[in-house]
Amino acid sequence: MIIESGMAAFVTGGGSGIGRGIALSLARRGVRVGVCDIRESDAAETARQIQVAGGVSIPVAVDVSELQSVEDAVNTVESAFGEIVIACNNAGIALHGVPLHEITAADWDWVIGVNIQGVIHGIQTLVPRMLATERPAHIVNTASIGGFQVNPNFLTAAYSMTKYAVVALSEGLHNELQGTQVGVSILAPAAVDTRIHLSERSRPERLGGATVRPQNHFMGELLKGSMSPDEVGDRVVNAIEDEDLYIFTHPETRQWLDRRHAAITEAFEKAERYAQKKN
């Protein structure tokens, strides 16, 4: 897909971190960006930075865990800029540092509502519109390197579970959209210098409201000084033009996936030995 000046984009989680990096990178290419975030003040700051740099943007409040909120946000962006041809379902939250059996029902609803339902709501709302335009379009769903393996050193299984789901959703969507002009990418970064460890400050009232989760905060030190969101944003823009399905940002993490694949291969080999014994 060729990114052209004047196109319209929809970026959730655009108020900070990777979402801001993507929004700024698109704006530098002349794309008009709807910066969508549950924290409208953060979205406004990203839009301000775009406008100061000479770009075009509007901030939009959205709670991606609610379908109607996503539909309203999409309508707002399309009213301002016309048909959306680039959609980045990027909003996500961290839920780290707690064993699975200790996670509360409210926190399960929160992490699933944002990280999985948020992507589903973006797909439900935007794919029919993109198909109807019969123009080249592209969707980027933000997963994580945690969507391809579960890190054994941290209690991040709940987060990884949701990101595995984003990978499966996106691979399925990619398969279903073959033969159309709508492309799909899966963004799978590792350590990026963001404020994802402060996700709990944005928890909506219906899911328990803003809180403090000190269990998340170890990530702040780990992420400090890591890859910048702007670098990830530029990588995403290039991947859209190249129509890449997988967008990996940290080549060194390949060894993590190699270890997982080796364990799977060993299990298949064991299954083959078992089958041979039966025969």
Side-chain angles (χ1 to χ4, degrees), residues 9-270:
F10 175 86
V11 181
T12 65
S16 63
I18 290 173
R20 177 174 288 174
I22 293 171
L24 291 169
S25 293
L26 287 169
R28 285 193 289 270
R29 297 292 297 273
V31 177
R32 298 174 296 172
V33 185
V35 178
C36 306
D37 202 285
I38 195 167
R39 293 173 64 87
E40 192 169 10
S41 60
D42 288 352
E45 173 56 23
T46 300
R48 186 194 68 81
Q49 291 184 24
I50 289 172
Q51 292 158 9
V52 166
V56 180
S57 180
I58 57 168
V60 183
V62 66
D63 176 355
V64 298
S65 66
E66 290 193 308
L67 176 59
Q68 187 62 57
S69 182
V70 174
E71 291 177 345
D72 291 345
V74 168
N75 288 338
T76 297
V77 175
E78 288 198 331
S79 294
F81 299 144
E83 296 168 346
I84 292 167
V85 296
I86 298 173
C88 298
N89 296 311
N90 168 76
I93 61 102
L95 190 67
H96 299 338
V98 178
L100 288 169
H101 65 280
E102 295 180 7
I103 295 173
T104 66
D107 276 347
W108 277 118
D109 288 343
W110 179 41
V111 73
I112 291 170
V114 176
N115 291 4
I116 300 177
Q117 292 289 351
V119 176
I120 291 171
H121 294 157
I123 291 170
Q124 285 180 302
T125 305
L126 287 153
V127 170
R129 300 180 191 219
M130 289 177 165
L131 290 172
T133 67
E134 298 184 342
R135 295 172 54 197
H138 203 92
I139 291 177
V140 179
N141 294 328
T142 298
S144 166
I145 198 65
F148 291 85
Q149 53 80 51
V150 181
N151 193 306
N153 299 317
F154 307 112
L155 294 172
T156 60
Y159 175 80
S160 284
M161 177 273 291
T162 64
K163 296 305 185 176
Y164 268 68
V166 173
V167 172
L169 279 166
S170 304
E171 288 177 338
L173 185 64
H174 170 75
N175 294 339
E176 294 172 10
L177 292 176
Q178 292 298 299
T180 75
Q181 295 194 75
V182 182
V184 178
S185 292
I186 305 164
L187 175 58
V192 180
D193 195 352
T194 70
R195 293 178 293 176
I196 193 170
H197 61 289
L198 301 176
S199 299
E200 67 270 14
R201 68 193 183 128
S202 302
R203 189 168 66 174
E205 288 298 326
R206 63 186 183 81
L207 296 177
T211 185
V212 175
R213 294 191 75 257
Q215 303 96 323
N216 267 348
H217 294 177
F218 73 96
M219 294 295 293
E221 287 301 314
L222 290 176
L223 297 177
K224 191 178 296 182
S226 57
M227 182 177 288
S228 73
D230 282 346
E231 188 174 350
V232 179
D234 288 344
R235 175 75 181 89
V236 168
V237 170
N238 290 334
I240 291 172
E241 292 202 309
D242 291 343
E243 300 184 356
D244 294 334
L245 175 58
Y246 302 107
I247 310 173
F248 293 109
T249 57
H250 294 68
E252 65 273 17
T253 60
R254 179 175 178 171
Q255 61 183 309
W256 301 353
L257 275 64
D258 287 343
R259 283 198 295 268
R260 179 172 188 265
H261 294 160
I264 292 170
T265 298
E266 182 180 348
F268 271 111
E269 290 171 350
K270 185 173 183 179

